[in-house]
Amino acid sequence: MNRRRKKSLYNWIYDSVVYIILIGVAIVTIVPFLQVVTISLSPPEVASSYGLHLFPTKLDFNGYKSILGYDTIWTSYWNTIVRTAVGTGLSMLLYVMGAYPLSRRYLPHRKFWTLFIIFTMYFSGGLIPNYLLINNWLGISNTIWSLILPGAVSAYNLIIVRNFFESIPDSLEESAKIDGANDITILFRIVVPLSKPCLATVSLWSIVGHWNAWFDCMLYIREEAKYVLQYTLQRILIDGQIQDIDVTDVVVNTDTMKMAALVVSILPIIMLYPFLQKYFTKGVMVGAVKG
């Protein structure tokens, strides 16, 4: 009886500590977001006042009107959408095509190729060689390919997809080959459908990476019409470079306008999460192999 009580007490303490930690993490995550949203909806005199602003006391949408009336925001939005769609699609195709042969035990020198890919995770050419490669040798600077091709394949993501493919039972592949399926058919009709949770997670990482990237745009893009959203946002927040805005009620570059720009830039990613969340907890192999 005493053992049961002690075990119950330990479980209660453990659950309490876990809940306290999770609540703390949730607060640390939500409070800054509420602060940004509230300031974006507040007039300048409220936004510039001291203290936390978790809920708006006065609503003022002039910050959003100013940002959404800035033509470069819409151009940058489109450039970011194109970059994210093309970059993520290309990356996922390369991950699938590269991870599948690495996951097959009959691949010649499989261990060597895996170690060769892992080696690139620890050593790189550096910023200057990358810049010379993109700008001087490949000649793709000031194009969308300078933002997509250098980071098209992440060794870390490739190894994750490879390990997931490796966990799929060989009996599925053997059964498909008995029925006359080739490797391409097995990959796209058996392996890929069973790997939706893994591929959805890696896709989300790639989407967030492309959506938040701005440094490569600063290095390789020279025309304002080709800027991505995050670089335009960086110029607004840090450099204060915002032009051609027709406003009468709001002072340009106020905190209200800057926070409105932040909200506008993060909304698409927030809206995307619920559609991919179901794949994170979904069972992968349930019912795939019987007998």
Side-chain angles (χ1 to χ4, degrees):
M1 193 70 177
N2 291 333
R3 290 183 178 177
R4 291 183 179 179
R5 289 181 178 178
K6 288 182 179 180
K7 186 176 181 180
S8 177
L9 179 62
Y10 291 150
N11 290 337
W12 181 86
I13 294 175
Y14 175 79
D15 291 342
S16 300
V17 172
V18 170
Y19 279 117
I20 290 173
I21 293 174
L22 292 177
I23 291 172
V25 172
I27 292 174
V28 171
T29 304
I30 293 174
V31 168
F33 180 76
L34 291 177
Q35 176 86 350
V36 169
V37 173
T38 300
I39 293 178
S40 70
L41 294 171
S42 301
E45 62 272 12
V46 175
S48 59
S49 61
Y50 181 78
L52 288 174
H53 304 277
L54 300 182
F55 302 100
T57 55
K58 296 180 181 179
L59 291 179
D60 187 346
F61 296 96
N62 284 323
Y64 287 97
K65 291 179 181 178
S66 302
I67 288 297
L68 297 179
Y70 184 31
D71 293 337
T72 304
I73 286 289
W74 295 105
T75 304
S76 302
Y77 240 116
W78 173 248
N79 294 337
T80 299
I81 291 173
V82 172
R83 171 186 178 164
T84 302
V86 176
T88 301
L90 178 62
S91 294
M92 295 312 301
L93 178 62
L94 294 176
Y95 289 146
V96 169
M97 299 297 290
Y100 179 68
L102 288 174
S103 66
R104 301 301 93 185
R105 293 181 176 84
Y106 50 78
L107 176 70
H109 311 295
R110 173 172 171 262
K111 186 175 181 180
F112 167 78
W113 295 116
T114 302
L115 292 176
F116 182 79
I117 293 173
I118 294 176
F119 178 82
T120 64
M121 296 173 59
Y122 301 99
F123 301 95
S124 66
L127 179 60
I128 294 177
N130 283 336
Y131 180 82
L132 294 175
L133 175 66
I134 300 301
N135 189 66
N136 296 353
W137 300 330
L138 295 180
I140 58 175
S141 63
N142 204 36
T143 67
I144 190 175
W145 300 111
S146 64
L147 309 179
I148 293 175
L149 293 182
V153 176
S154 166
Y156 178 78
N157 291 344
L158 181 62
I159 295 301
I160 287 179
V161 178
R162 174 254 189 190
N163 291 341
F164 196 92
F165 285 177
E166 197 174 31
S167 67
I168 297 176
D170 294 334
S171 56
L172 290 175
E173 181 178 355
E174 294 170 359
S175 300
K177 286 186 175 181
I178 292 175
D179 293 334
N182 56 29
D183 289 331
I184 299 297
T185 302
I186 294 172
L187 173 60
F188 288 102
R189 301 193 64 177
I190 297 178
V191 176
V192 170
L194 290 174
S195 305
K196 285 183 180 179
C198 174
L199 298 180
T201 303
V202 175
S203 297
L204 184 59
W205 292 345
S206 180
I207 290 171
V208 173
H210 280 293
W211 191 269
N212 291 334
W214 64 270
F215 186 68
D216 51 359
C217 179
M218 184 183 70
L219 290 177
Y220 305 123
I221 303 300
R222 296 183 292 273
E223 298 178 18
E224 187 176 6
K226 298 180 180 180
Y227 287 166
V228 295
L229 179 62
Q230 296 303 329
Y231 183 55
T232 300
L233 180 63
Q234 188 264 354
R235 296 172 69 218
I236 294 174
L237 294 179
I238 299 177
D239 300 334
Q241 299 179 14
I242 195 167
Q243 302 171 353
D244 301 328
I245 295 184
D246 183 16
V247 292
T248 56
D249 299 329
V250 178
V251 179
V252 176
N253 293 331
T254 61
D255 289 339
T256 300
M257 186 180 298
K258 292 179 180 180
M259 295 304 106
L262 278 175
V263 173
V264 168
S265 68
I266 64 177
L267 275 180
I269 294 296
I270 293 177
M271 295 171 61
L272 181 64
Y273 267 94
F275 295 99
L276 296 179
Q277 185 181 8
K278 63 180 180 179
Y279 292 107
F280 297 161
T281 56
K282 182 180 178 181
V284 188
M285 297 304 301
V286 176
V289 180
K290 297 181 180 180

